[in-house]
Amino acid sequence: MSIKDKVGESSSFGRTRNRSERGRAKALTEGAIPAYELVRLPLDQVAATPLNPRRNFGSAEEMTRFGEELREAQLAACVAVTRAAYLKLWPDHESQIGSSALYVLVNGERRFRSGVHVGLDKLDFVVRDDLAATREDFVDHLLAENLDREDFDVIERARGVEQLVSVCAEDGGERGSRSRAAKRLGKDRSWVTNQLALLTLPVQIQVLLSAGEVSERDGRALARCLKEDPGLGAEELLGQLASAKEAAEQRKQEEQRLLTAGREALAQARPVKTLSADNKPSSEGSPAPAAAPALAQAADPGSSLLSADNNEDNTASQGNTTSSSTDRATPVPSVTGKSDGVPEPREEQPRPKPSQRVVTGVRFPYDNAVQAAQFLYDRMDDSQFLILVDTLNGMVEERRSPGEVTAE
């Protein structure tokens, strides 16, 4: 099978270049070939459009290297329209493109300039007058190749967007021109507005944006400052930017300090005066803390405190309540059990309910304080974790108050 058969009749490898005008018109009507074909044009018959917002095409060394690569092989064709199609849209550009230019570039100006730089006579082109149906179409296709380029700097892009907005305003009126431009570019209207705002900055800052010394995000922030106070100059704007960055860095360091302090406080915390779900110590074989009266009562057979798993001893426990309570300085209030034998926890003060219940499929480790802390640490963001640490510190202070019940 020949290459022509593999890639189709419209391929540049075929004989479509030799069609007569009548044969080409018939092939176009039948859909056998596209409306455009690959042609090789002399570079002295091509002119760059003055509408291209791109101004940086590389250094002389870079253009030489790229031009020599084109001499070996041109992997992508340039795109152009005929002189007549272009001047139909912009008749005032006739003197700018020159009298010898039969074609005007849409895309591929870097390839074109590099080819001229190294002295190439011809390059591959695709001539597409359908891209010049309207001004909006032409500028849209002009920007399409450049918007996503890494070397297409911020200010060049903003100028291209401004140009498209201006054309949309000419064709459809000022009202809604930004929305129409955004739709053509596949962007939000706010993105277009942010691009135009960069062009309101002083020239000194625009130069820094183009060079990458000021980020686009910082440029948008400076544009907002300038909108609020139009009298600010470049020096004042850059000073405000430096101050804002310094304040943000200080806030970040303070948040990090608080987070570190919270982690250290949690690491030093001990499970004092806390009960597990089944009134068992945090680890087998470890004695209950002497300062925890609740644990001492749980270990005392005559205590009035009931656990969740001693339902059979409820009657005996309650019978001993009167005798045991007379021996204590402060009586321990009895706990009323539910119908299923599980006691209700004593509510000393209302606790805030969580805003959202999270089901993780992992049982919360009630009977191990260290595991419980790690469990919460892994599932909370920094702000909630700091709130937890602060709450625990407050609870510890409560339990250390003079009026607490002490174990005998």
Side-chain angles (χ1 to χ4, degrees):
M1 181 181 291
S2 66
I3 295 178
K4 174 185 173 181
D5 294 333
K6 290 181 181 179
V7 299
E9 290 185 35
S10 61
S11 168
S12 60
F13 295 101
R15 292 179 294 176
T16 54
R17 296 184 187 177
N18 298 326
R19 293 179 187 271
S20 65
E21 289 298 325
R22 182 177 178 182
R24 187 173 186 279
K26 180 180 179 181
L28 286 171
T29 304
E30 295 174 350
I33 63 172
Y36 51 90
E37 294 178 352
L38 189 69
V39 294
R40 197 161 182 83
L41 298 178
L43 298 185
D44 57 3
Q45 295 181 5
V46 181
T49 171
L51 298 172
N52 193 353
R54 189 177 185 185
R55 295 292 179 267
N56 180 19
F57 298 97
S59 63
E61 181 181 354
E62 292 171 338
M63 293 178 69
T64 299
R65 183 171 61 253
F66 189 35
E68 294 301 327
E69 291 175 1
L70 291 173
R71 191 190 301 275
E72 296 296 326
Q74 182 181 350
L75 301 180
C78 303
V79 182
V81 298
T82 61
R83 176 188 182 91
Y86 182 82
L87 291 181
K88 184 179 179 180
L89 299 178
W90 282 281
D92 53 325
H93 288 183
E94 184 172 8
S95 59
Q96 293 174 272
I97 65 174
S99 58
S100 61
L102 303 180
Y103 304 92
V104 179
L105 278 169
V106 179
N107 294 136
E109 186 167 348
R110 181 168 177 258
R111 294 187 288 276
F112 168 74
R113 289 181 178 273
S114 298
V116 172
H117 182 72
V118 298
L120 296 181
D121 294 330
K122 297 181 178 181
L123 283 175
D124 291 334
F125 282 81
V126 170
V127 180
R128 295 191 55 181
D129 283 354
D130 58 307
L131 302 183
T134 64
R135 286 189 173 196
E136 288 185 23
D137 287 338
F138 186 88
V139 176
D140 184 18
H141 292 295
L142 181 65
L143 294 177
E145 186 184 40
N146 292 315
L147 280 181
D148 296 327
R149 285 185 179 276
E150 295 181 359
D151 57 349
F152 196 41
D153 73 58
V154 175
I155 297 302
E156 285 182 345
R157 182 178 62 197
R159 287 172 183 158
V161 172
E162 181 187 42
Q163 193 167 260
L164 179 59
V165 171
S166 299
V167 171
C168 290
E170 291 175 5
D171 293 349
E174 184 70 29
R175 184 180 179 84
S177 58
R178 294 187 180 185
S179 297
R180 292 194 298 275
K183 184 177 180 181
R184 280 189 167 273
L185 296 174
K187 304 286 186 179
D188 294 331
R189 186 182 184 280
S190 60
W191 183 86
V192 172
T193 300
N194 287 333
Q195 297 302 306
L196 299 180
L198 297 177
L199 299 178
T200 64
L201 293 170
V203 176
Q204 299 94 314
I205 298 181
Q206 291 189 30
V207 171
L208 295 177
L209 281 165
S210 293
E213 297 181 21
V214 173
S215 68
E216 183 179 353
R217 180 179 179 180
D218 290 340
R220 292 197 300 267
L222 292 177
R224 287 193 294 270
C225 291
L226 187 61
K227 184 177 180 180
E228 294 173 358
D229 189 355
L232 294 176
E235 297 284 340
E236 296 168 313
L237 286 171
L238 292 174
Q240 287 192 9
L241 178 62
S243 300
K245 285 188 172 182
E246 183 178 355
E249 183 62 27
Q250 291 177 353
R251 286 195 301 270
K252 183 178 179 181
Q253 291 178 0
E254 179 64 15
E255 291 175 359
Q256 187 64 35
R257 185 189 68 79
L258 290 174
L259 180 60
T260 302
R263 288 173 175 169
E264 291 176 353
L266 182 62
Q268 295 172 1
R270 293 294 182 268
V272 179
K273 300 180 185 178
T274 57
L275 288 178
S276 65
D278 52 2
N279 291 339
K280 292 181 179 179
S282 59
S283 61
E284 291 190 30
S286 60
L295 289 180
Q297 292 174 8
D300 184 5
S303 173
S304 62
L305 186 63
L306 299 180
S307 68
D309 55 354
N310 60 357
N311 298 334
E312 297 178 357
D313 300 329
N314 285 350
T315 304
S317 309
Q318 292 175 359
N320 296 331
T321 302
T322 305
S323 61
S324 62
S325 61
T326 58
D327 298 333
R328 300 182 182 277
T330 306
V332 179
S334 61
V335 181
T336 303
K338 294 182 180 179
S339 58
D340 58 357
V342 179
E344 295 179 356
R346 181 177 59 189
E347 293 288 338
E348 294 183 354
Q349 60 182 6
R351 297 282 184 252
K353 295 182 178 180
S355 58
Q356 183 179 5
R357 183 179 180 185
V358 180
V359 179
T360 62
V362 180
R363 178 180 175 275
F364 187 83
Y366 294 99
D367 55 352
N368 189 307
V370 176
Q371 291 181 6
Q374 188 64 43
F375 182 92
L376 295 174
Y377 173 77
D378 292 340
R379 287 161 177 79
M380 287 184 174
D381 58 23
D382 292 346
S383 61
Q384 287 298 316
F385 187 73
L386 291 176
I387 293 173
L388 172 64
V389 172
D390 186 59
T391 304
L392 291 174
N393 288 333
M395 291 178 176
V396 170
E397 293 299 325
E398 271 185 31
R399 290 183 176 271
R400 290 178 179 171
S401 62
E404 67 182 359
V405 178
T406 59
E408 291 183 353

